[in-house]
Amino acid sequence: FDYAGGQGAMSFVQVRASVPLFWSQEASAIMPKPPITYSVVDPSLSGTRQHIQDLYSRYGCPVIAVNLMRATRNSDEGVLGKKFQDAVTTLNKELPPEHPDVKVQFVAMDIRTLHK
């Protein structure tokens, strides 16, 4: 494609990762789906911030976060997904408004609902 009068290239990179927040889920033979716990309080969102900065430095813009967890509000996955969305919203608010292209785009997509 032609980019600003010169030649350009574009690529798509998919990174599958855990939600970049401090959370855990203990493995259990008794409970097939153990509860999600949050043992660390991180008001500065250091884990999320570091993960997003790493993605920007490696791949550039845009960064699109796709949440494939269950969207049920009261489920553990729903709560974790909401915490992730809130973290992305908070980080986006810190970015300069004159550069909207660097905002992380957040897309919630309940994969189970899509397959029904």
Side-chain angles (χ1 to χ4, degrees):
F1 68 93
D2 189 35
Y3 177 70
Q7 295 298 314
M10 188 169 115
S11 66
F12 170 83
V13 178
Q14 178 180 350
V15 178
R16 184 160 193 242
S18 177
V19 175
L21 296 169
F22 293 106
W23 64 278
S24 64
Q25 194 172 30
E26 295 296 324
S28 169
I30 300 168
M31 293 174 45
K33 199 166 189 183
I36 294 173
T37 58
Y38 306 93
S39 57
V40 176
V41 176
D42 184 22
S44 67
L45 301 171
S46 62
T48 309
R49 185 181 311 278
Q50 182 179 356
H51 180 69
I52 299 298
Q53 286 173 342
D54 180 58
L55 292 175
Y56 278 133
S57 68
R58 288 175 188 242
Y59 309 112
C61 295
V63 170
I64 304 170
V66 181
N67 175 9
L68 299 175
M69 292 184 290
R70 184 170 297 184
T72 309
R73 291 181 191 247
N74 296 332
S75 71
D76 283 348
E77 286 184 7
V79 171
L80 181 58
K82 178 71 169 109
K83 286 179 180 277
F84 182 34
Q85 183 175 11
D86 292 346
V88 168
T89 299
T90 298
L91 293 178
N92 279 339
K93 287 179 182 175
E94 297 174 1
L95 296 170
E98 61 272 11
H99 297 290
D101 56 321
V102 299
K103 290 191 182 298
V104 177
Q105 299 172 43
F106 186 90
V107 178
M109 203 183 292
D110 185 339
I111 198 76
R112 289 171 194 91
T113 304
L114 293 173
H115 284 136
K116 287 185 179 183

